[in-house]
Amino acid sequence: MNDKLTLHIQDEGDFFYREAIKKLRANVQFSGKKNKIIMITSVFSGEGKSEVSFHLALEMANAGKRVLYVDADIRKSVFLERYGVVGEVVGLSEFLSGQIDRVDQIIYPTSFDNLSVILAGHFAPNPAEMLGDEQFSTLLRMESQRYDYVFVDTPPLGQVIDAALVGQYCDGAVLVLESGAASRQAAQRVKDQIEKSGCRILGAVLNRVSRGGDGYYGSKYGKYGKYGKYSKYGSYSKYE
């Protein structure tokens, strides 16, 4: 077994940040026990998808569930830098390319109870082919027997096809949208692509919603006072 990774979280967020993540975790749990492998994607890069997916995984682990977080952004992962991982590590790209034979060699326990991670690994020239391979499906299904939840962080589907390939192996998907960043048409195209992969959309997270006087939190949560200019996680809505 690999040594524990010490992960450093510099900003745990304000009151609304933490409460919205807890609400998201509850919504995922109430979506049904059969939804164990859950993909998180976005329309464009920079919408906060990776931050949402990791904090969702961490919150689920804090609730006592055994969680595996899979960083499937082989193209442009920010995980190592964001959480201060040091030392030589291997990940998904090494396993899917055949450089590493066993899955347990790329699973790292972390400094947080109940949370393990699979890192993206080194950049690969053919990430779509690797993620669309049956070997990745086998990995996810096998680990879903060992963990209560497997969260898969994928590249933005509005820019590359990776998430649609991963979606065919997942039980559900959560779409992260930054308020005002993606048009309704772009979000609809991504929603359609996810559904075409056969993956059920569990809901959407509206991220970085202004808490000004006319904003979502300005009206709904005004009685709590202000905790900062932007909310990290604005709301969670369920697609019917």
Side-chain angles (χ1 to χ4, degrees):
M1 177 180 291
N2 289 313
D3 293 334
K4 278 188 178 182
L5 287 184
T6 299
L7 304 181
H8 303 278
I9 299 179
Q10 296 181 354
D11 181 13
E12 294 185 0
D14 58 21
F15 171 82
F16 293 118
Y17 177 109
R18 297 188 296 271
E19 288 302 304
I21 284 293
K22 290 178 181 179
K23 182 179 178 182
L24 177 57
R25 184 257 299 163
N27 275 289
V28 169
Q29 288 181 291
F30 280 114
S31 71
K33 291 183 178 180
K34 64 181 180 180
N35 295 320
K36 299 190 66 175
I37 306 173
I38 298 173
M39 175 181 77
I40 296 89
T41 192
S42 60
V43 179
F44 302 120
S45 61
E47 295 192 85
K49 162 191 60 66
S50 293
E51 191 177 7
V52 170
S53 58
F54 178 75
H55 281 87
L56 171 59
L58 180 56
E59 177 60 32
M60 194 69 80
N62 288 339
K65 302 297 183 181
R66 296 192 69 241
V67 176
L68 177 64
Y69 174 88
V70 181
D71 183 359
D73 194 349
I74 297 174
R75 296 175 185 267
K76 194 180 178 181
S77 174
V78 297
F79 189 92
L80 298 183
E81 180 180 358
R82 175 172 289 165
Y83 299 110
V85 176
V86 297
E88 274 299 314
V89 291
V90 291
L92 196 57
S93 62
E94 283 82 8
F95 176 74
L96 295 179
S97 63
Q99 298 176 57
I100 290 194
D101 298 326
R102 302 197 323 267
V103 177
D104 65 298
Q105 292 178 299
I106 62 169
I107 296 179
Y108 293 85
T110 72
S111 48
F112 297 100
D113 292 343
N114 303 316
L115 179 64
S116 297
V117 300
I118 292 179
L119 304 170
H122 291 84
F123 169 80
N126 57 337
E129 292 178 19
M130 295 169 68
L131 294 172
D133 191 270
E134 186 67 26
Q135 187 179 17
F136 188 40
S137 171
T138 301
L139 181 158
L140 294 177
R141 291 296 166 191
M142 182 172 64
E143 296 310 316
S144 71
Q145 302 304 310
R146 298 179 53 206
Y147 293 89
D148 297 311
Y149 288 95
V150 178
F151 292 104
V152 187
D153 178 17
T154 67
L157 187 48
Q159 294 176 293
V160 292
I161 197 62
D162 301 17
L165 299 173
V166 173
Q168 63 186 320
Y169 306 136
C170 297
D171 302 318
V174 173
L175 179 59
V176 176
L177 301 167
E178 180 181 356
S179 178
S183 67
R184 183 182 182 88
Q185 292 78 8
Q188 184 65 49
R189 285 194 296 270
V190 167
K191 177 178 178 289
D192 292 343
Q193 281 187 295
I194 295 172
E195 291 174 336
K196 286 178 182 178
S197 75
C199 184
R200 176 189 173 206
I201 299 182
L202 303 180
V205 174
L206 187 59
N207 194 27
R208 296 173 183 153
V209 180
S210 173
R211 289 205 297 271
D214 297 327
Y216 176 84
Y217 281 115
S219 59
K220 189 171 183 179
Y221 292 105
K223 64 181 180 180
Y224 291 109
K226 292 185 178 180
Y227 286 79
K229 186 177 180 182
Y230 293 100
S231 65
K232 287 287 186 179
Y233 307 112
S235 61
Y236 180 96
S237 60
K238 186 175 181 181
Y239 282 112
E240 298 297 340

